[in-house]
Each structure stands twice: as C-alpha cells, then as structure tokens.
C-alpha cells in the first residue's frame, strides 16, 4: 500500500514538473513578440510597406495588427475552449491545443518576406494553442490542495516567462541560426506535448480534493451537478468587477507589448544597437515572471493550515486572502503605467521590471480568483468567458496605436495618460471584495451572538 502511495506521489510530482516545463518553454511564447519583430524586420517581412529608410510606419502598423489579432483570439476563443474543456475533458482539449500549436509553428517555419501574410494565422494558432495548454495545466493545482493557488500562479508565471523563447531565437538568429530552423524545432517538440497528454494527464478532469490514491487511469472524474447556475455566476458582482479589473490591466499590457518596438525606436532616435539592447533587456526580464508569480500564490495561500473562525467557510477564508493580492496587483499596474508613460529611455528598465511583476500577478491571480469565487463545475466556462470578454475590450489597442501613429504624430503621451487614469478603476474590485468579506464576517459574528444569547437564555415555557 505504501508503495502504491509513493508511486502516486511520484506521478503527481512528474505531472507538476512536466507541466512547469510545458508552460515555461512553449505556452506563452507569443508574448515575446517584441523580440520576434526585431528578427522579422531584419528578414524583410512587410518591408514593402516602408516608404523609405526613415518611414516604416506602415510596417510597424502591420506588425502591431498581427499581435492585436493574435492576442485577441488568444482570449476571445477561451469561451469555446473553456466549454470544450468542461464538456470533453483534458485529452480532447490538449489534442486540439497541440494541433493548433504545431500548425502555427510550421506556418512561421515555411513563411518568408514574400509571404508575410502567413504571420496572421501563424501567430494566432500559436497563441490559441498556448492558452489551451495553460488551461489544461491549471487543474494540476488540485493535486496539491494546500498549495493550490501557488501552483496555479506558478504555472501562470511560467507562461509569462516563456515569452523569452523568442529572445533566444533572436540571439540564435544573430549567430546565424535561421528563424525557419528555430520554428521547425518548436514543431518537433510537439511530440513532448503528446507524450504528456497520454502519460501524465487525465482523460477527464482532476477533482479539487482527489482521493488518497487517485490515479488518472483508474477512473475518469466527472463533476456532480452544480446547484449554482452558470448564469448566476456571470451576473454576480464578483464576475463583473473582476472582468473590469482584468480588462483594463490587460489592455495596458497588450498596448505596451504591441508598441514596444516603435516606442524604443522613438526614444533611442532609431539607433538599432540601442533598440536591440533594450529589446534584449525586456525579453530577459520576462524570464523573471516564473519567479514573481509564486509570491502571489503564497499571498493567497497564506491562511492555509490555520484554523477557520467559527462559522467561517473555506471559501470565505480564500476570498478574504485574495483581496490583498487583488489590491497589490492593481497598485503594480498603476506604477507600471506611470513609468511606461514617462518618455525617458533609461527609465524603461524600471518599466520592464514592473511590467513582468504585474503581468505575473495579473494572470495567476485571475485564474486563482475564479477558482476561489466560483464552483469548479463552471471553471472552464467562466475562465473562458472572462478571457473572451476581456479580449473584446483589448481590441481598443489597435485604434489607440493608429491614433498615436496618425493624429498624435507618433507621440503616445496623451494615450498613456488616459490609460493611466483608466487604471484607477481597477481598485474598485479589491475594495469590493474587502467590504464583502467584512460584511460576511460581521453577519457571522451577529449570528454567533444571537446563538449564544439563545442558548444562555432559553425561552420560558408556557
């Protein structure tokens, strides 16, 4: 029996470690787009849109559009992906993810400057396939109940850090390794995803509190019918304020990443060596996402192992713990936006640090909060709908970029200031959660007081 138990624990740890590797090296590579753009420009992609050597605004706008569409589909299709995950299970979802991811990497591998348009479907497939891999890995946190939020945020941080893969491609490109060879290698690595799908992941879902000897192949877990409807979850204030919180911060990050290259060109007076230096610095900071994200998980799990207050549920304790995480994430975004709005090139080093810190807190905290505030039965659909609706909001990045390039003459100051003021709205969510928890605690205290009084002074019998 002890041998069976140790074997199960070993498999859990292998699942955790391999999932970490998958998220770190593959899932979120599309967000290293700034490094990829540098290579694509050198290889002549969309170069026909340059009017002359000094005016390549048309090329920049096209690269921005590629990222806008990819990042939009990355989130917008999450609703369909979440429904697929909830209804069809892990294996079917992962097979779709691997198919999309491999298609995207092969499209880039066989593209060229003459077929620059292939970047549109390629980056979109890589983005959607990557987020599907992350979605199926979120449930691994259920294998470690005492550290559930920590595991979820760790995977989210690894997802962010995988954007450094495009930096590695950029460095290899400078050493003579072609972009096509690099993407062919990524395509071949899909074999790893398939092996993990069949050997280390369940066919269905991992339950929140698995039995002591739960194994993936022994049985397929199905959720019991949830008494809370999906509609009531979506119409709750928890969902609506969380949607606002996520959408505003995500727009700020997407616009920053999508316009990083032209912004650096403007601040560095189009010095290619200086732009390359800052692009590398940005990509290197993305590696730190996997180091920053667990801090958020530790903040959310800090109450685990402590006794609950009388009448307090586990969800109440989790919600109260999450309010600090939500507030710190909001504060980070405000500081990041202020720093990004300041047109000083050396200050962008600080901007890069704040950006990766906030991004790692944002997405890890998003998934962890949904898993805390709503039933596990609806996790995939709610996570997908949240990302889908926030994706619609993120489409504002393209008109913002067009406004900067057109009417504002390349100076993004007014747009940056407007986004910074908009960021102040994200503080509503943590304040609402804090007030809600205080009200629940007060009601619980009043109920306990009434119960104590009733037991002390029983009603006189007639």
């Amino acid at each position: 029996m002890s041998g069976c138990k140790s074997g199960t624990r070993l498999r859990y740890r292998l699942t955790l470690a391999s999932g970490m590797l998958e998220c770190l090296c593959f899932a979120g590579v599309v967000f290293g787009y700034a490094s990829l753009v540098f290579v694509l420009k050198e290889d002549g992609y969309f170069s026909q849109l340059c009017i002359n050597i000094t005016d390549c605004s048309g090329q920049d706008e096209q690269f921005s559009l590629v990222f806008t569409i990819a990042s939009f589909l990355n989130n917008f299709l999450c609703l369909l992906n979440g429904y697929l995950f909830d209804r069809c299970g892990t294996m079917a979802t992962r097979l779709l993810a691997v198919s999309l991811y491999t298609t995207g990497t092969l499209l880039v591998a066989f593209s060229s400057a003459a077929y620059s348009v292939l970047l549109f479907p390629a980056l979109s497939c890589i983005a959607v396939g990557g987020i599907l891999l992350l979605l199926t890995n979120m449930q691994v946190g259920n294998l470690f109940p005492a550290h559930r939020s920590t595991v979820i945020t760790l995977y989210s941080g690894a997802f962010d850090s995988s954007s450094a893969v495009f930096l590695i491609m950029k460095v290899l490109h400078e050493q003579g390794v072609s972009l096509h060879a690099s993407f062919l290698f990524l395509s071949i690595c899909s074999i790893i995803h398939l092996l993990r799908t069949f050997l280390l992941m369940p066919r269905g879902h991992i339950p929140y509190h698995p039995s002591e000897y739960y194994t993936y192949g022994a049985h397929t877990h199905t959720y019991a019918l949830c008494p809370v409807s999906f509609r009531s979850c979506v119409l709750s204030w928890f969902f609506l304020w969380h949607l606002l919180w996520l959408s505003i911060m995500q727009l700020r990050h997407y616009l920053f990443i999508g316009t990083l290259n032209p912004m650096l060109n403007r601040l560095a007076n189009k010095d290619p060596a200086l732009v390359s230096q800052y692009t590398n610095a940005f990509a290197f900071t993305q590696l730190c996402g996997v180091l920053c994200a667990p801090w958020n998980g530790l903040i959310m799990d800090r109450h685990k192992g402590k006794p609950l207050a009388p009448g307090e549920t586990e969800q109440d304790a989790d919600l109260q713990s999450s309010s600090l995480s939500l507030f710190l994430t909001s504060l980070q975004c405000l500081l990041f936006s202020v720093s990004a709005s300041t047109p000083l090139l050396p200050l962008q080093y600080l901007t890069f640090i704040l950006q990766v810190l906030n991004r790692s807190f944002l997405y890890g905290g998003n998934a962890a909060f949904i898993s805390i505030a709503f039933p596990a039965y609806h996790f995939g659909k709610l996570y997908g709908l949240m990302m889908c609706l926030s994706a619609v909001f993120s489409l504002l990045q393209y008109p913002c970029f067009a406004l900067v390039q057109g009417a504002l003459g390349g100076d993004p100051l007014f747009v940056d200031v407007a986004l910074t003021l908009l960021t102040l709205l994200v503080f509503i969510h943590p304040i609402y959660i804090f007030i809600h928890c205080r009200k629940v605690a007060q009601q619980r205290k009043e109920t306990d007081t009434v119960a104590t009084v009733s037991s002390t002074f029983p009603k006189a019998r007639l």
Side-chain angles (χ1 to χ4, degrees):
M1 187 65 72
S2 61
C4 178
K5 188 174 181 179
S6 61
T8 300
R9 286 179 176 174
L10 176 61
R11 194 173 187 184
Y12 286 1
R13 289 168 185 163
L14 283 174
T15 300
L16 176 66
S18 60
M20 177 72 176
L21 180 68
E22 187 172 78
C23 291
L24 183 61
C25 298
F26 303 99
V29 294
V30 72
F31 294 103
Y33 187 64
S35 297
L36 182 64
V37 166
F38 196 89
V39 176
L40 293 172
K41 283 186 174 182
E42 287 192 346
D43 285 356
Y45 283 74
F46 297 121
S47 58
Q48 73 277 9
L49 298 176
C50 290
I51 298 174
N52 50 55
I53 298 176
T54 58
D55 184 9
C56 285
S57 58
Q59 183 188 38
D60 287 335
E61 189 170 336
Q62 203 70 3
F63 279 128
S64 178
L65 183 59
V66 170
F67 182 75
T68 298
I69 293 174
S71 57
F72 168 73
L73 292 176
N74 173 72
N75 290 345
F76 185 75
L77 293 180
C78 272
L79 176 58
L80 178 61
N81 296 337
Y83 181 81
L84 175 69
F85 176 63
D86 282 348
R87 294 288 297 178
C88 302
T90 303
M91 182 173 291
T93 307
R94 286 183 61 83
L95 290 176
L96 175 62
V98 175
S99 300
L100 288 171
Y101 196 90
T102 307
T103 299
T105 52
L106 286 174
L107 282 173
V108 179
F110 294 110
S111 68
S112 64
Y115 297 98
S116 302
V117 71
L118 287 177
L119 291 178
F120 286 97
L123 269 293
S124 297
C125 284
I126 293 172
V128 176
I131 197 68
L132 275 172
L133 292 176
L134 176 65
L135 177 63
T136 58
N137 279 316
M138 291 291 189
Q139 61 183 328
V140 175
N142 293 342
L143 298 175
F144 308 90
H147 307 287
R148 185 188 183 196
S149 294
T150 304
V151 172
I152 291 174
T153 54
L154 182 66
Y155 276 0
S156 181
F159 178 85
D160 293 338
S161 293
S162 66
S163 60
V165 169
F166 281 170
L167 168 65
I168 296 173
M169 289 188 180
K170 176 178 176 292
V171 173
L172 290 174
H173 187 268
E174 292 169 352
Q175 301 302 315
V177 178
S178 71
L179 192 65
H180 310 299
S182 296
F183 273 92
L184 275 176
F185 177 77
L186 279 184
S187 302
I188 294 170
C189 286
S190 293
I191 295 172
I192 300 173
H193 307 317
L194 288 174
L195 290 175
R196 187 166 182 271
T197 299
F198 292 115
L199 300 178
L200 290 174
M201 294 295 284
R203 181 184 294 273
H205 303 92
I206 301 175
Y208 178 27
H209 287 290
S211 59
E212 187 176 2
Y213 302 108
Y214 169 79
T215 55
Y216 313 138
H219 61 277
T220 300
H221 173 76
T222 55
Y223 293 119
L225 187 63
C226 182
V228 181
S229 70
F230 176 70
R231 183 174 181 272
S232 65
C233 291
V234 172
L235 296 179
S236 68
W237 284 112
F238 279 2
F239 185 89
L240 296 176
W241 287 130
H242 192 67
L243 175 62
L244 178 72
W245 180 84
L246 174 66
S247 298
I248 292 175
M249 286 194 277
Q250 182 171 260
L251 173 63
R252 190 68 189 95
H253 281 274
Y254 279 4
L255 187 63
F256 178 76
I257 295 172
T259 61
L260 180 62
N261 187 264
M263 184 266 283
L264 291 177
N265 271 299
R266 181 176 57 85
L267 295 180
N269 294 319
K270 298 188 177 179
D271 181 346
L274 204 52
V275 172
S276 179
Q277 174 187 327
Y278 275 83
T279 302
N280 289 348
F282 172 74
F284 275 122
T285 58
Q286 302 307 297
L287 285 169
C288 300
V290 70
L291 303 177
C292 300
W295 303 348
N296 195 18
L298 292 172
I299 291 172
M300 302 185 84
D301 284 337
R302 68 187 187 279
H303 65 289
K304 300 288 188 181
K306 297 179 181 179
L308 298 174
E312 184 181 34
T313 65
E314 186 178 356
Q315 185 187 36
D316 291 338
D318 289 343
L319 273 176
Q320 186 173 2
S321 184
S322 71
S323 62
L324 177 59
S325 166
L326 296 171
F327 176 78
L328 290 176
T329 307
S330 304
L331 182 60
Q332 291 164 5
C333 187
L334 179 62
L335 295 175
F336 156 63
S337 188
V338 170
S339 181
S341 303
T342 308
L344 294 175
L345 188 60
L347 186 63
Q348 299 316 306
Y349 287 121
L350 175 62
T351 304
F352 297 160
I353 295 171
L354 291 171
Q355 188 270 342
V356 70
L357 178 64
N358 182 232
R359 181 176 166 77
S360 61
F361 268 59
L362 174 62
Y363 288 106
N366 170 48
F369 179 80
I370 293 173
S371 70
I372 288 170
F374 304 104
Y377 181 82
H378 298 306
F379 175 80
K381 296 185 288 293
L382 288 170
Y383 181 82
L385 181 60
M386 184 74 68
M387 300 301 286
C388 174
L389 294 176
S390 66
V392 175
F393 191 79
S394 71
L395 286 177
L396 290 173
Q397 65 181 298
Y398 187 70
C400 285
F401 181 79
L403 177 65
V404 170
Q405 293 295 99
L408 298 179
D411 186 357
L413 181 61
F414 291 108
V415 170
D416 286 337
V417 170
L419 286 173
T420 301
L421 294 175
L422 188 64
T423 301
L424 295 174
L425 294 177
V426 303
F427 286 94
I428 296 175
H429 185 37
I431 292 172
Y432 178 80
I433 297 297
F434 178 77
I435 294 174
H436 169 82
C437 292
R438 288 288 296 271
K439 285 182 178 179
V440 170
Q442 185 63 31
Q443 290 172 359
R444 190 168 57 242
K445 186 177 179 180
E446 291 173 358
T447 302
D448 292 342
T449 302
V450 170
T452 302
V453 171
S454 298
S455 61
T456 306
F457 302 102
K459 293 180 180 179
R461 294 181 179 179
L462 294 174

